[in-house]
Amino acid sequence: MKNERFRKGYRLILVLILMVSVRSVTFAAGQEVKIGAALSMTGAAAAYGATQKNGIQLASDEINAAAGSDGIKIVPLFDDDASVPQQGINVYNKFINADRVALIIGPTLSNTAQVTNRIAQQSGVPVLAISNTAKGITDIGDYIFRDSLTEAVVIPNTIRVAKEKLGIKKVAILYGDDDAFTKGGYDAFKNALSEAGIEILSEMTFAKGDRNFSPQLTQLKSLNPDAIVVSALVEEASGILSQARQLGIPATVPIIGGNGFNSPALIKNAGESAEGVIVGAAWNMTSTNPLNKHFVDAYTNRFGSPPDQFAAQAYAGVYIALEAVKKAGSADNRKAIREAMAQIKDFDTVLGKFSFTAGRDADHTPVVQTVKGGKFVVFGE
Ligand code: 1QQ
């Protein structure tokens, strides 16, 4: 009798342990999860914000239509960070205190993130960056994650491939010295170039909003570099490409860019002058990963033009956020969502199998692209 009771009690404890450890929490049907999306819809980074918004909208609508995701309904709240830190702060404060979001995706620029993310960290609100590639963003604290590969990871690979394929020996660098991303990209290029034994003939700067790059390009042309390395956001990058060719720097001198080049806006703005550009990326349109074809087709059908890397990282970001919410078993417990996010491993996304590093950065293989016939195509890996 005593034994029987013991056995029953034992079984009950086992079942309880199982229930807690499996955590197959189901949400009430239609349980809303508010995600704040701070994106650059205007200003210097507006070209990126537009496709990021599309990626987030598409993923959210797919999740909500499927309704199979434990009943979760994603409610994306979009707001414009205007590509400047102060507006990013306003948007973050609204998301955190008024909307009471479960987590925040964005802001678009590292330059804004390095300020806004401190607010989220202090408030205990998880942030999933989808396009910040500068050093130090996730070092702000343990609530800060990113699915965007850092320039420190991508650029050495770009330089290695460019050197192997083009035999580059000497370059000139042109970079924006007033932005966390363009400056960080410059640092990463400089390190990678010296590690690769490539000579730097000259380093020149510009500022966000500059339109005339002929003083720098004229000087640069006289140095006869094998390639020009540019760390810039897309508006300035487009001007540099067009003016370099107008000033007679031949197409045989390729321009190597950083993450800011990964937008179709570059090709649209610079036209012919964008041909032959070389840029490292976190994603390629023709990636054979099984989720990618669906994503590219669904995005193209809905928005009338194919996605870019920023759309892919945004789309992946929503699914990563959903996975964290599901694992946390809560639609609004920010601490539990943070903890679940840190556990994400080998999760299938359009970026490939996704895991965070111990430092909450993205961890997958970059690709090197070139522009050919008005399109980004794989240059090497
Ligand atoms: C950053 C970037 C930009 C190009 C994002 C759009 O990589 O600011 O970190």
Side-chain angles (χ1 to χ4, degrees), residues 281-300:
W283 171 88
N284 175 264
M285 183 97 69
T286 59
S287 148
T288 53
N289 124 42
L291 293 176
N292 201 51
K293 191 179 160 13
H294 159 77
F295 165 64
V296 171
D297 290 348
Y299 187 102
T300 310

Side-chain angles (χ1 to χ4, degrees), residues 15-348:
V15 168
L16 281 174
I17 289 173
L18 257 178
M19 278 171 66
V20 173
S21 64
V22 169
R23 274 294 247 306
S24 69
V25 181
T26 36
F27 291 82
Q31 171 72 61
E32 292 192 349
V33 176
K34 281 197 225 168
I35 300 180
L39 305 176
S40 300
M41 307 311 299
T42 58
Y48 313 113
T51 65
Q52 291 182 312
K53 182 173 186 221
N54 290 346
I56 291 171
Q57 192 70 62
L58 179 63
S60 304
D61 290 351
E62 282 179 4
I63 291 162
N64 296 345
S69 294
D70 290 353
I72 293 169
K73 179 168 185 260
I74 300 284
V75 181
L77 304 175
F78 295 103
D79 217 328
D80 180 13
D81 67 31
S83 312
V84 290
Q86 187 51 54
Q87 187 54 23
I89 292 171
N90 297 341
V91 170
Y92 258 52
N93 282 332
K94 175 182 160 286
F95 283 158
I96 294 168
N97 303 315
D99 300 324
R100 301 209 53 79
V101 298
L103 76 152
I104 297 175
I105 286 182
T108 299
L109 293 178
S110 292
N111 202 53
T112 301
Q114 64 181 9
V115 185
T116 54
N117 293 8
R118 291 180 205 287
I119 301 170
Q121 178 66 32
Q122 274 157 19
S123 314
V125 175
V127 172
L128 178 58
I130 51 172
S131 55
N132 304 152
T133 61
K135 229 177 162 167
I137 299 296
T138 43
D139 296 337
I140 290 169
D142 61 351
Y143 275 76
I144 317 299
F145 296 80
R146 59 176 146 195
D147 77 5
S148 40
L149 281 182
T150 62
E151 288 289 67
V153 167
V154 174
I155 284 175
N157 187 59
T158 311
I159 294 300
R160 177 184 58 79
V161 171
K163 187 186 174 191
E164 270 169 28
K165 294 199 119 185
L166 304 170
I168 292 164
K169 292 194 179 64
K170 49 187 183 15
V171 301
I173 306 181
L174 191 50
Y175 72 100
D177 63 355
D178 59 348
D179 175 276
F181 155 74
T182 56
K183 248 183 120 278
Y186 156 71
D187 292 333
F189 272 124
K190 199 173 158 148
N191 285 340
L193 289 164
S194 68
E195 295 224 325
I198 297 172
E199 186 188 350
I200 299 170
L201 301 170
S202 160
E203 298 175 8
M204 279 176 260
T205 61
F206 59 84
K208 226 178 260 173
D210 282 1
R211 290 279 168 268
N212 178 18
F213 305 95
S214 53
Q216 296 97 318
L217 289 167
T218 306
Q219 201 192 326
L220 209 150
K221 187 184 170 197
S222 70
L223 299 171
N224 271 319
D226 297 335
I228 303 170
V229 169
V230 177
S231 184
L233 292 171
V234 68
E235 295 300 328
E236 292 76 26
S238 307
I240 291 167
L241 290 180
S242 306
Q243 290 169 34
R245 301 310 176 211
Q246 278 159 18
L247 286 167
I249 299 176
T252 47
V253 178
I255 296 182
I256 304 174
N259 193 41
F261 278 47
N262 278 320
S263 167
L266 184 87
I267 300 169
K268 191 166 160 256
N269 297 343
E272 253 318 283
S273 306
E275 290 293 303
V277 149
I278 291 163
V279 55
W283 171 88
N284 175 264
M285 183 97 69
T286 59
S287 148
T288 53
N289 124 42
L291 293 176
N292 201 51
K293 191 179 160 13
H294 159 77
F295 165 64
V296 171
D297 290 348
Y299 187 102
T300 310
N301 284 341
R302 171 137 176 206
F303 301 109
S305 56
D308 61 10
Q309 173 208 268
F310 297 97
Q313 289 171 324
Y315 178 87
V318 176
Y319 278 97
I320 292 168
L322 171 69
E323 181 66 6
V325 166
K326 282 204 234 171
K327 273 182 184 291
S330 166
D332 55 9
N333 182 337
R334 293 157 163 180
K335 185 165 185 287
I337 293 169
R338 187 222 83 81
E339 257 130 52
M341 185 93 84
Q343 303 301 320
I344 287 178
K345 212 173 165 42
D346 293 333
F347 179 61
D348 281 316

